[in-house]
Amino acid sequence: MNNNNHYPFELMPLPYAYNALEPYIDEKTMRLHHDKHLGTYVNNLNDALKDYKELHNWTLEQLLYYSDRVPEKIRTAVLHNGGGVYNHNLFFANMSPEKPQSNAAGNLMRAIDQSFGGFDNFKTEFKNMALSVFGSGYTWLVLNDKCKLQILNTANQETVLPQNACPVMLIDVWEHAYYIKNYNVRANYIDNWFNVVNAAQAESNYNQCVKSMRCGC
Ligand code: MN3
């Protein structure tokens, strides 16, 4: 996140055009999702932090992980809106118009094979988890605190940071992520989303997680 690591947080531009993920994810959804939904989380997070100078050099991760040290008056606002910024930045970076190389023999693919018995099994399990989110939330592939790949769900704008899990990839299953194109049919959105997963980013996240969690040491 570099220059966007602390207050005032900025709305990071999409790393591709709004229509780049067509026909899988439509331009109108991307414009609303990025500019309006994420934009609002960024503004509300900055509003909440405005009068708390002691928090202005905290990173987003610190605000979310050490939320018990954030003054109670703004804690909920920081968790909701900071989580919204954190999750959406990861989500948008984890998509790409580049075709995923399905036979890519990266470290993540090997780990998925070992953990789930192949990519198809992983995909089925991930999709079922994403279908099982009741209401609004996310489905994640993480490296958990035991250095194992794990699929898990979080509600609303909760992150996986309190679980000491390191995010590899995630799908936003709030209705705003898919309703315009897919109406109520979340399954179609999940199938479409798999076509625009940024495999290179997921591989890089995975390698970073292995390194930062000192797995294998
Ligand atoms: Mn969203």
Side-chain angles (χ1 to χ4, degrees):
M1 279 187 215
N2 303 323
N3 60 341
N4 193 32
N5 214 20
H6 56 77
Y7 177 92
F9 293 95
E10 292 164 29
L11 178 60
M12 304 281 280
L14 276 182
Y16 38 77
Y18 290 102
N19 64 358
L21 305 180
E22 298 262 11
Y24 303 110
I25 299 184
D26 59 291
E27 177 176 354
K28 191 172 182 187
T29 295
M30 290 302 291
R31 282 190 184 279
L32 286 167
H33 201 173
H34 178 270
D35 296 4
K36 303 299 178 190
H37 288 274
L38 175 53
T40 300
Y41 288 124
V42 171
N43 292 340
N44 289 347
L45 176 61
N46 287 332
D47 281 349
L49 293 170
K50 192 174 54 198
D51 296 330
Y52 295 82
K53 286 210 164 54
E54 69 275 20
L55 299 175
H56 286 185
N57 62 349
W58 283 37
T59 66
L60 190 50
E61 284 83 354
Q62 287 171 326
L63 288 166
L64 296 168
Y65 190 79
Y66 301 108
S67 60
D68 55 330
R69 298 188 206 163
V70 170
E72 205 178 341
K73 200 172 166 208
I74 59 165
R75 191 177 300 151
T76 301
V78 166
L79 281 171
H80 286 180
N81 295 291
V85 174
Y86 180 83
N87 291 342
H88 281 102
N89 282 344
L90 285 178
F91 172 70
F92 288 128
N94 262 285
M95 295 190 288
S96 165
E98 309 291 328
K99 270 269 151 235
Q101 294 167 300
S102 52
N103 57 354
N107 293 328
L108 176 57
M109 272 302 179
R110 272 195 294 276
I112 283 177
D113 275 344
Q114 279 175 4
S115 301
F116 301 98
F119 186 75
D120 289 344
N121 286 347
F122 160 71
K123 205 170 156 180
T124 304
E125 208 173 306
F126 192 92
K127 182 177 175 181
N128 287 337
M129 279 293 277
L131 287 171
S132 78
V133 173
F134 182 75
S136 296
Y138 293 79
T139 297
W140 306 70
L141 177 66
V142 301
L143 200 62
N144 67 21
D145 57 358
K146 298 181 177 61
C147 285
K148 297 277 183 217
L149 279 181
Q150 186 185 346
I151 301 168
L152 52 84
N153 289 341
T154 56
N156 301 313
Q157 295 298 357
E158 285 168 15
T159 74
V160 295
L161 295 174
Q163 307 183 44
N164 292 306
C166 184
V168 176
M169 59 186 234
L170 76 169
I171 183 171
D172 182 340
V173 293
W174 285 58
E175 277 190 344
H176 66 233
Y178 61 87
Y179 204 86
I180 292 171
K181 178 178 163 69
N182 300 281
Y183 302 110
N184 57 319
V185 188
R186 189 188 288 174
N188 289 352
Y189 160 65
I190 299 165
D191 289 338
N192 279 317
W193 174 81
F194 265 108
N195 288 293
V196 293
V197 169
N198 186 337
Q201 183 65 49
E203 168 76 13
S204 150
N205 291 346
Y206 174 74
N207 289 329
Q208 199 56 50
C209 288
V210 169
K211 207 168 137 191
S212 67
M213 297 176 78
R214 305 177 64 82
C215 298
C217 288

